[in-house]
Amino acid sequence: MHIRYLLTLSCFFTSVFIFAQSGNPTTNANLPLGEQYQLMVEKSGRYQQYRVVERAWLDAFQTHLGDSLIAAADKQTELEGTIADQAETINERTTEISSLNGQIDALNEEKDSISLFGLSLSKAAYHTIVWGLIAALGVLLFVILGRSRLAVSSAREAKDKIDKLSSELKESRKQRLAIEQDLRRKLQDERNKNQA
């Protein structure tokens, strides 16, 4: 007996639920809330200037609205987490980029500089120093060559003078020897005259 009573009662509630749901525009959860609301207003009855909406429809709409708000809040939380993760990733990438830019700057500076006697010089300064040294050595070479030419010509003049003086000295010796021999002969002739 209780079973028949329970079956009758369950059939009654099922028919009421089916009747309430058959015209309920909010039964299609796939429709957006705006369309569900519009269908609910269109299918509701009129009383003067008002619309009469069934309580089951409003409850179902409220449930869908709550579910949509919860889903939107969940989606917002998920998106905020994604944004936070992406912001953290961006910060990490920014730090990495700053570090890499520092390394690139250091490598470019190293590439553009040359170490000379333990000093790090830019290539322009290095080239200036090298070409300055080459120019100074060139000038020094020309000065040395000029002085050596002067020295060579002076040495030639001095040698020529020495040779001239030497030949004059030899000539003078020859003349002196000739004079000495002539004087000795004369002296010997005088001695020979005095002894005879």
Side-chain angles (χ1 to χ4, degrees):
M1 175 124 88
H2 288 295
I3 292 177
R4 277 190 187 176
Y5 178 69
L6 285 174
L7 281 175
T8 308
L9 194 59
S10 70
C11 286
F12 174 73
F13 282 122
T14 304
S15 64
V16 168
F17 182 74
I18 289 172
F19 175 74
Q21 294 296 323
S22 65
N24 190 348
T26 60
T27 54
N28 189 353
N30 294 333
L31 288 176
L33 289 175
E35 290 181 22
Q36 289 180 15
Y37 178 77
Q38 193 63 32
L39 283 173
M40 189 171 56
V41 169
E42 288 173 4
K43 290 187 176 185
S44 62
R46 287 184 166 255
Y47 175 73
Q48 295 178 0
Q49 65 204 24
Y50 302 105
R51 291 271 185 183
V52 179
V53 180
E54 291 185 31
R55 176 69 187 203
W57 293 5
L58 287 175
D59 290 342
F61 183 75
Q62 183 180 10
T63 302
H64 288 174
L65 181 62
D67 292 343
S68 295
L69 289 175
I70 290 171
D74 290 344
K75 185 70 174 175
Q76 180 182 359
T77 304
E78 179 184 335
L79 290 175
E80 286 173 352
T82 303
I83 289 171
D85 290 344
Q86 289 177 349
E88 184 178 331
T89 302
I90 288 171
N91 287 337
E92 289 173 1
R93 297 296 183 257
T94 303
T95 305
E96 287 177 21
I97 288 171
S98 297
S99 173
L100 291 174
N101 283 339
Q103 290 176 358
I104 288 170
D105 290 342
L107 289 173
N108 283 337
E109 185 177 324
E110 184 179 325
K111 181 187 79 160
D112 291 338
S113 67
I114 295 172
S115 180
L116 181 68
F117 305 118
L119 296 172
S120 181
L121 301 172
S122 69
K123 284 187 177 180
Y126 175 78
H127 289 298
T128 303
I129 290 171
V130 168
W131 285 109
L133 286 174
I134 290 172
L137 289 174
V139 168
L140 183 64
L141 178 67
F142 284 123
V143 168
I144 289 172
L145 287 175
R147 286 198 172 196
S148 67
R149 277 190 153 179
L150 285 175
V152 166
S153 66
S154 297
R156 280 185 188 156
E157 286 177 14
K159 186 180 177 199
D160 289 344
K161 284 182 182 178
I162 289 173
D163 288 343
K164 188 176 179 184
L165 286 173
S166 179
S167 65
E168 286 177 3
L169 183 63
K170 282 181 184 177
E171 195 61 41
S172 168
R173 278 187 188 163
K174 282 181 185 178
Q175 287 177 358
R176 195 185 48 159
L177 278 174
I179 291 173
E180 277 182 20
Q181 285 176 355
D182 192 33
L183 282 175
R184 278 188 197 151
R185 244 184 268 134
K186 283 183 184 178
L187 181 65
Q188 190 65 39
D189 286 342
E190 283 297 320
R191 274 188 196 163
N192 287 339
K193 275 189 199 179
N194 281 336
Q195 284 182 354

